[in-house]
Amino acid sequence: MNSVFTEYNSVDNAFSSFIKALTDIQDSAQQKWIEFKQQRSALESNMAKHTQSITGSKKISLDVGGTTFNTTEETLLKHEESFFWGMLRSGAWEPDKDSGQYFIDRSPHMFG
């Protein structure tokens, strides 16, 4: 009977050690996942900044009567007397919070 009890304790200790090792691996994997997401976020942010510095201007998306037009801020600000220069520099014209596009209530056929 004593040998059965000794063997049971041995198996129980091995199983407890195994569970502890699995828990440690899981904790380590979760920490690595958090670090990965932070690094990915920082990389995406740096890429966006780098892209903007290469092109010299951030990208702008316009929703003109339901049609999307993409351009750069630099293009829209070329002429100081233009509609776009006035709207973008006024600070009153904000992109849509959901789509990130600037809305223009005009026909896209006349715009493009």
Side-chain angles (χ1 to χ4, degrees):
M1 182 77 167
N2 204 12
S3 68
V4 171
F5 183 71
T6 302
E7 183 145 347
Y8 171 79
N9 280 338
S10 176
V11 169
D12 187 52
N13 288 338
F15 184 71
S16 294
S17 295
F18 177 71
I19 295 299
K20 169 118 176 57
L22 284 178
T23 301
D24 291 346
I25 290 169
Q26 181 183 21
D27 291 345
S28 176
Q30 285 176 336
Q31 184 60 37
K32 294 286 185 192
W33 179 248
I34 290 168
E35 291 171 10
F36 168 76
K37 288 186 347 185
Q38 290 170 339
Q39 289 174 351
R40 184 174 129 197
S41 177
L43 178 62
E44 287 172 348
S45 176
N46 285 338
M47 285 176 53
K49 288 177 188 173
H50 185 65
T51 300
Q52 185 174 341
S53 69
I54 289 173
T55 62
S57 187
K58 71 177 184 178
K59 292 181 182 178
I60 301 279
S61 184
L62 305 172
D63 173 357
V64 182
T67 301
T68 299
F69 292 87
N70 294 305
T71 187
T72 63
E73 186 177 61
E74 179 183 20
T75 298
L76 295 178
L77 298 176
K78 274 186 181 177
H79 305 286
E80 288 188 27
E81 301 289 324
S82 73
F83 168 80
F84 293 109
W85 192 91
M87 292 299 285
L88 288 170
R89 289 295 183 224
S90 73
W93 196 31
E94 294 291 324
D96 181 75
K97 291 179 183 173
D98 294 328
S99 68
Q101 296 179 326
Y102 289 88
F103 178 70
I104 300 173
D105 191 14
R106 296 286 183 259
S107 168
H109 303 292
M110 300 301 287
F111 185 80

